[in-house]
Amino acid sequence: MLQFGLRLGSQPRQVVSTTPRPIAVLKEILARPDTKVSRGGTRENAGNLAPKFLRAIVSRYEGTRLGRQELDGDIIDDVPGALWNRAQLDETRVRTAPDLIRIVVAVDPPASSGPGADECGIVVAGVDRSGHAYVLADASSQGETPAQWAARAVRAYSAHQADRIVAEANQGGDMVGSVIRNVDPGVPVTLVHASRGKAIRAEPVSALYEQGRIHHVGALPKLEDQMCSFTPDFDRTEAGYSPDRLDALVWAITNLMVKPGRGGLGIY
């Protein structure tokens, strides 16, 4: 209705100040070519807020879907048909992981290095005695040489006291294992090969999330962005990126929880 009040003058304008919820009218306004957008996060207003309130609200919501909306001013929307959604990830999120009986670091290496290269997906996850998995960290990087991303993976292995590094060998073959062992010859490395498409490999892992058996420890926003944008018909050319963080996650959970050759899901 406010639009009807903008009928006078040579250049009528209006100001919309709001939390950027993913509602149709706000998306329509943002999509207009003449809309100018200014964003402000909660931290920028810290001087006007009670420090205790700020600490409490940030520690509770930072990195979550609600936190990114309310604290950072981002519009967080789900992609129709995606294998994951943000509400599902928030419902199963935990602050800390319980005692884990097995931890792996999964690596999805890029085919090249440099600023224009794909990311190197590096995700740490573990499983507990009850058959629930916990995603502990996303240590992915971009633009690093093989020696650099291998060192990053070994650091994650040591920091989380992991049992093994699981690395996809489609890009580079045995070289992937050699690069990691050059950093630390004592690190156990399992090379895995992708014989099926990304979506087919991701679907059993998505099913485990639907069952509430996988939990993210804290917020992993870049990984979660890829997860909640990944559809069965994902096209990397159209999207403009390769979901390497997601690939690493799928390799980690598959190694921990998906029994090969049985067509079903289970705990090792």
Side-chain angles (χ1 to χ4, degrees):
M1 296 298 293
L2 184 60
Q3 302 293 331
F4 293 109
L6 302 177
R7 55 187 177 222
L8 300 177
S10 60
Q11 191 180 6
R13 293 177 293 174
Q14 64 179 344
V15 175
V16 179
S17 178
T18 182
T19 296
R21 291 178 298 153
I23 57 177
V25 65
L26 186 56
K27 291 180 183 179
E28 182 181 342
I29 292 172
L30 289 171
R32 291 175 57 92
D34 56 346
T35 296
K36 305 297 182 184
V37 181
S38 176
R39 299 180 185 275
T42 298
R43 291 176 184 80
E44 297 174 52
N45 193 37
N48 300 308
L49 300 174
K52 187 175 181 180
F53 163 82
L54 187 60
R55 287 193 301 270
I57 207 75
V58 169
S59 66
R60 177 162 185 171
Y61 295 108
E62 186 173 32
T64 67
R65 175 176 59 105
L66 183 61
R68 293 180 66 188
Q69 174 181 286
E70 300 289 336
L71 300 178
D72 301 328
D74 293 335
I75 287 188
I76 307 298
D77 204 359
D78 288 322
V79 174
L83 295 187
W84 289 270
N85 64 74
R86 298 181 189 278
Q88 174 191 77
L89 298 180
D90 280 346
E91 287 171 4
T92 55
R93 193 184 310 278
V94 297
R95 290 179 179 271
T96 59
D99 290 337
L100 302 175
I101 60 173
R102 190 161 177 269
I103 299 172
V104 299
V105 177
V107 180
D108 183 64
S112 60
S113 60
D118 290 337
E119 291 180 317
C120 178
I122 302 175
V123 170
V124 186
V127 66
D128 69 6
R129 294 186 182 280
S130 68
H132 282 235
Y134 295 81
V135 184
L136 304 173
D138 174 13
S140 305
S141 65
Q142 185 175 26
E144 294 184 332
T145 65
Q148 289 172 325
W149 58 248
R152 182 182 292 272
V154 171
R155 287 196 299 272
Y157 169 89
S158 299
H160 292 275
Q161 300 181 322
D163 299 283
R164 180 166 297 275
I165 291 179
V166 179
E168 182 182 316
N170 287 51
Q171 305 285 1
D174 291 340
M175 178 276 292
V176 174
S178 297
V179 169
I180 295 172
R181 292 188 184 98
N182 283 342
V183 177
D184 186 340
V187 173
V189 180
T190 295
L191 298 181
V192 290
H193 298 266
S195 59
R196 300 182 297 170
K198 294 180 188 293
I200 294 175
R201 286 187 281 114
E203 283 173 356
V205 177
S206 172
L208 287 166
Y209 273 88
E210 289 180 6
Q211 295 169 10
R213 296 173 63 190
I214 304 179
H215 312 267
H216 288 192
V217 179
L220 305 167
K222 291 184 178 180
L223 170 61
E224 292 169 13
D225 282 348
Q226 288 191 1
M227 295 171 67
C228 296
S229 300
F230 187 78
T231 61
D233 59 350
F234 181 87
D235 185 328
R236 62 165 293 166
T237 301
E238 181 179 329
Y241 68 93
S242 176
D244 301 296
R245 297 169 189 262
L246 169 61
D247 277 348
L249 169 75
V250 168
W251 286 124
I253 299 301
T254 298
N255 184 270
L256 291 169
M257 300 185 72
V258 181
K259 290 183 178 180
R262 299 192 181 187
L265 305 178
I267 303 299
Y268 283 105

